[in-house]
Amino acid sequence: MNQAPGPILGVANGATLHNTVRPSWPEDVLSWLLGSPLPATHLQVLDLGAGTGLGTRSAAALGHTVIAVDSSEDMLAVLRKVNEELPSSMSARISTALGSAEHLPLEANSVDAIMCLQAWHWVNPALAVLECDRVLRERGMMGLAWHTWDRSKEWVQALAAIVEPAGRAADQTRSVPRVLASRGSFERQDFPFSYDMTVEQLLGLASSWSFVNERPDRDDVLARIYQLGSSAASAKTGLLSFPHVTAAFRLDRSGESTAVWNR
């Protein structure tokens, strides 16, 4: 059996790893989430559960001013470190704040849009939605998105069998979270993309998943993933093509009767 390199199996599920191995958020996805504003329209955006700023930077690249809020100082420290390498005109549009969805460190009616990327499942929804109500300006935009696996490829199905021994978890992207649905109508759009990576990068990505990193048999699971990746990678390039679909939801602002975020 092929074994993964020792340093990879020993990688911690830390903020730096998260920033290095997780897929980014394309600007067209974030533009849609924020309501597809005209290019000259610059919003005040809250990135809720921003992590290391993978989405924050994409929103700032669109010209928006973004406040990244996260409950992990380690994550925000990586975000700030990466931002030092950005053009000053872009980094100036990004600020950070330690906080949670249940206790947002923002003034009332202070943001034009809220985006929550791959993070809503970590919050207390009843409290979080009240805080979103408080900080979002009237007719502001709310958007949520998750990167999900496209399981049409055989090797992705085999990966799922390794990391989901009890079967696939409930699909959180079937519909907008119930507590948000009471705030107005949401529309959904799916954005397919392929994440190309080496076997070592796949192993790093798997190490960043809490449902893998926290398993008592973590090293064995990662060794099996390494074996799978080695057999599935292209003999020509050594790369794996990991198909994904970004499931995105945003408030539907097309009709007056259903478009208002109720306060």
Side-chain angles (χ1 to χ4, degrees):
M1 172 175 165
N2 292 330
Q3 294 292 326
I8 294 292
L9 283 180
V11 166
N13 185 23
T16 300
L17 175 67
H18 184 283
N19 188 69
T20 302
V21 300
R22 292 292 181 94
S24 61
W25 294 88
E27 292 176 15
D28 63 328
V29 175
L30 294 196
S31 179
W32 186 87
L33 277 179
L34 298 175
S36 303
L38 296 174
T41 302
H42 297 155
L43 307 175
Q44 185 79 20
V45 178
L46 163 62
D47 187 0
L48 179 58
T52 61
L54 292 171
T56 302
R57 290 184 285 277
S58 293
L62 291 169
H64 305 304
T65 300
V66 189
I67 179 167
V69 172
D70 201 275
S71 59
S72 169
E73 177 56 37
D74 288 344
M75 290 282 186
L76 293 178
V78 172
L79 187 159
R80 289 190 290 267
K81 181 65 175 175
V82 174
N83 285 355
E84 292 175 1
E85 302 171 5
L86 299 176
S88 58
S89 59
M90 181 173 165
S91 62
R93 293 195 292 272
I94 297 173
S95 60
T96 65
L98 190 66
S100 68
E102 298 82 6
H103 301 285
L104 291 171
L106 279 74
E107 298 292 331
N109 305 311
S110 59
V111 297
D112 301 304
I114 299 172
M115 62 184 194
C116 186
L117 310 175
Q118 209 85 16
W120 187 262
H121 52 286
W122 294 112
V123 313
N124 178 318
L127 296 178
V129 77
L130 292 177
E131 279 291 83
C132 290
D133 283 349
R134 183 180 67 82
V135 304
L136 192 62
R137 291 172 181 148
E138 184 152 4
R139 294 195 59 75
M141 179 58 66
M142 179 77 184
L144 302 93
W146 290 266
H147 291 321
T148 66
W149 301 355
D150 177 350
R151 303 184 184 222
S152 59
K153 278 194 175 182
E154 186 174 335
W155 83 264
V156 179
Q157 296 169 19
L159 175 65
I162 293 171
V163 301
E164 299 172 345
R168 185 176 182 179
D171 185 358
Q172 62 189 344
T173 72
R174 288 177 185 239
S175 60
V176 72
R178 183 178 303 174
V179 70
L180 289 174
S182 68
R183 294 309 201 259
S185 297
F186 280 75
E187 53 184 325
R188 171 176 176 159
Q189 185 161 323
D190 290 343
F191 297 84
F193 74 96
S194 185
Y195 193 20
D196 294 331
M197 62 183 67
T198 64
V199 178
E200 287 74 19
Q201 288 169 330
L202 171 65
L203 215 56
L205 178 63
S207 296
S208 79
W209 298 332
S210 59
F211 56 87
V212 168
N213 195 51
E214 295 171 5
R215 284 178 58 162
D217 59 344
R218 168 184 177 274
D219 285 0
D220 179 63
V221 169
L222 291 177
R224 292 168 63 195
I225 292 172
Y226 184 80
Q227 182 184 39
L228 171 65
S230 297
S231 63
S234 166
K236 190 173 185 179
T237 66
L239 296 177
L240 291 150
S241 179
F242 196 163
H244 281 68
V245 175
T246 301
F249 297 87
R250 71 178 183 186
L251 270 171
D252 183 356
R253 295 303 196 191
S254 61
E256 289 296 326
S257 61
T258 60
V260 177
W261 178 273
N262 298 318
R263 297 190 181 279

